[in-house]
Amino acid sequence: MRIERIEAIPLRMPLPRPLKAATAFITHRCTVLTRVYTDQGIVGECFGNNEDTGQAEILRLIRDELAPVLVGRDAFLVEACWEAMQPATRDILRDRRMAIRAIACVDAALWDAVGKALEVPLHRMWGGYADDVAAYAMGGYYRAEDDLAGVAREMESLRAQGFAGCKLKVGALSPQADAERVRAARDGAGPGFKLMPDPNQGWNYEQALTFARLVEPLDIFWLEEPCHWANDRQDLARLRRTVPVPICAGQSEISVAGCRELMAAGAIDICNYDPSWGGGPTAWRKVAALAQAHGVGVLSHLEPQVGAMLAASVPNGVGVEVMQPNRDPLYHALVANRPVIADGRLRLPDGPGWGLELDRDVEKRLSA
């Protein structure tokens, strides 16, 4: 099954209203829809890379540097294709993250082509562990005025929608004020609903420690990337040794080796590596194997269209992140067969490859 050509299409949607996290202000949802055309008539497709940054450069890299080295290759040899694309990451005079994200786009589409050729969903092709995964929402973004009652109502609504838990935005306020937001979330959600506060690297070690001690009685499933980026590996390891709250990190890493170092440092209980930011499903699966060897859980940061099957393919997968329409209107508009979420679980599609059915009218409207 030879690769004939590769197509990359930028898509962009504004959010209904801007959203604020601790270290980000988000106004749009963006993606690159990538298709790999083969001589067997099979077209692999997927979309990923989820923010504005560098979209034009990603498109250029796919067109000018990645496609030329892949055309004519056997699409079944995904590992060989992935290795053939790696030289694009080695130019020291440009931001290598853009090349890594471009590789991720092509890698995801290649895997879809392989799954379609074999007529099997990817999680089963990879060996399979489950046909459904725990589904976690993302919420608790900061409002113009901090509204604890609003946080409680939001968590109550997410539980009623069938989610198993929610990643709750914290880190923009003091540890004490954000701990009150988590307490309000627990009051609204009730017991058994998983809460994962996410400061987006918003605090120093001392602030993170204060917060972790305050929320410890609130049954926290994990605390995600609480510490500033510059010394996070050491700070996370120290925090993990000091408090019993599980620590999650990895989405800010861009390589398998970066995740390996987090695990080797004893810094994390869960690794949420982002396949769109980190080299695609091929790289994510390497991280998952490392994580299993270290006794660490794993999930995909964002991107449920790939994250669900990745998590379901391994025994240490802990779930999938699914953003609400106000945070990711593009996913909710573009995917015509979004999986059902009920009783805390997302049931995987049973179509071949990623099992995606995309709304072509939405694609045309957004790419016009």
Side-chain angles (χ1 to χ4, degrees):
M1 187 171 65
R2 300 289 171 180
I3 299 168
E4 289 192 328
R5 65 185 179 94
I6 299 173
E7 177 184 40
I9 303 167
L11 305 176
R12 189 172 188 264
M13 283 187 77
L15 303 189
R17 64 178 178 86
L19 295 174
K20 185 183 186 310
T23 55
F25 185 72
I26 306 152
T27 61
H28 287 75
R29 183 68 169 164
C30 304
T31 198
V32 175
L33 172 59
T34 306
R35 293 192 174 102
V36 172
Y37 294 83
T38 72
D39 64 355
Q40 301 299 309
I42 291 170
V43 180
E45 65 180 358
C46 196
F47 62 95
N49 282 286
N50 42 60
E51 308 299 348
D52 253 337
T53 307
Q55 196 175 54
E57 176 65 0
I58 289 169
L59 296 171
R60 188 200 68 77
L61 283 158
I62 292 173
R63 181 188 67 239
D64 296 343
E65 299 188 32
L66 303 186
V69 302
L70 293 186
V71 169
R73 285 181 175 267
D74 187 344
F76 276 110
L77 302 181
V78 181
E79 283 279 357
C81 290
W82 192 83
E83 287 292 338
M85 293 187 283
Q86 294 308 303
T89 70
R90 295 171 188 151
D91 187 332
I92 64 171
L93 298 181
R94 68 186 184 195
D95 185 351
R96 63 171 47 89
R97 291 176 302 171
M98 296 303 103
I100 293 170
R101 294 181 183 192
I103 289 169
C105 293
V106 177
D107 187 62
L110 275 171
W111 278 116
D112 188 55
V114 172
K116 287 175 176 175
L118 298 176
E119 299 183 344
V120 64
L122 284 172
H123 72 292
R124 290 187 166 231
M125 189 191 77
W126 287 322
Y129 188 77
D131 287 319
D132 63 3
V133 291
Y136 306 124
M138 296 182 68
Y141 286 89
Y142 291 95
R143 298 164 172 84
E145 295 182 3
D146 198 38
D147 178 7
L148 297 182
V151 172
R153 287 193 299 270
E154 182 181 354
M155 297 304 114
E156 183 180 14
S157 172
L158 291 172
R159 183 165 195 161
Q161 292 173 47
F163 286 98
C166 178
K167 281 178 56 172
L168 174 69
K169 293 302 177 183
V170 297
L173 306 177
S174 69
Q176 293 81 3
D178 271 331
E180 288 305 309
R181 299 181 82 249
V182 178
R183 187 176 299 279
R186 174 55 70 206
D187 290 342
F193 187 79
K194 293 179 169 60
L195 291 177
M196 299 83 84
D198 181 8
N200 289 118
Q201 300 182 326
W203 288 322
N204 61 32
Y205 169 77
E206 288 76 16
Q207 291 170 317
L209 177 60
T210 297
F211 176 82
R213 284 175 168 160
L214 288 170
V215 300
E216 182 184 335
L218 300 177
D219 188 21
I220 301 304
F221 190 43
W222 74 63
L223 174 58
E224 183 169 324
E225 290 197 333
C227 299
H228 295 322
W229 67 270
N231 196 44
D232 62 341
R233 192 168 298 140
Q234 287 74 24
D235 284 344
L236 293 175
R238 185 160 52 135
L239 186 65
R240 185 168 176 258
R241 290 193 299 268
T242 306
V243 294
V245 178
I247 302 298
C248 174
Q251 75 176 61
S252 297
E253 300 296 333
I254 61 172
S255 69
V256 177
C259 293
R260 178 198 64 205
E261 294 306 304
L262 281 173
M263 298 173 205
I268 55 174
D269 299 278
I270 297 165
C271 185
N272 65 332
Y273 194 57
D274 190 319
S276 284
W277 293 353
T282 294
W284 190 95
R285 296 183 69 239
K286 297 176 193 295
V287 170
L290 277 171
Q292 186 177 6
H294 283 85
V296 168
V298 68
L299 75 158
S300 167
H301 173 245
L302 308 183
E303 308 291 12
Q305 69 276 8
V306 300
M309 284 200 176
L310 288 171
S313 71
V314 295
N316 54 329
V318 299
V320 62
E321 299 180 3
V322 182
M323 294 194 290
Q324 298 291 90
N326 69 329
R327 176 62 179 89
D328 188 2
L330 197 153
Y331 167 77
H332 288 270
L334 186 60
V335 180
N337 63 332
R338 292 188 307 281
V340 172
I341 296 172
D343 299 323
R345 312 288 294 183
L346 180 148
R347 181 75 183 180
L348 271 65
D350 56 10
W354 297 116
L356 290 172
E357 296 176 12
L358 302 184
D359 189 319
R360 304 304 177 190
D361 291 333
V362 171
E363 177 193 335
K364 291 177 183 177
R365 175 167 56 84
L366 295 179
S367 60

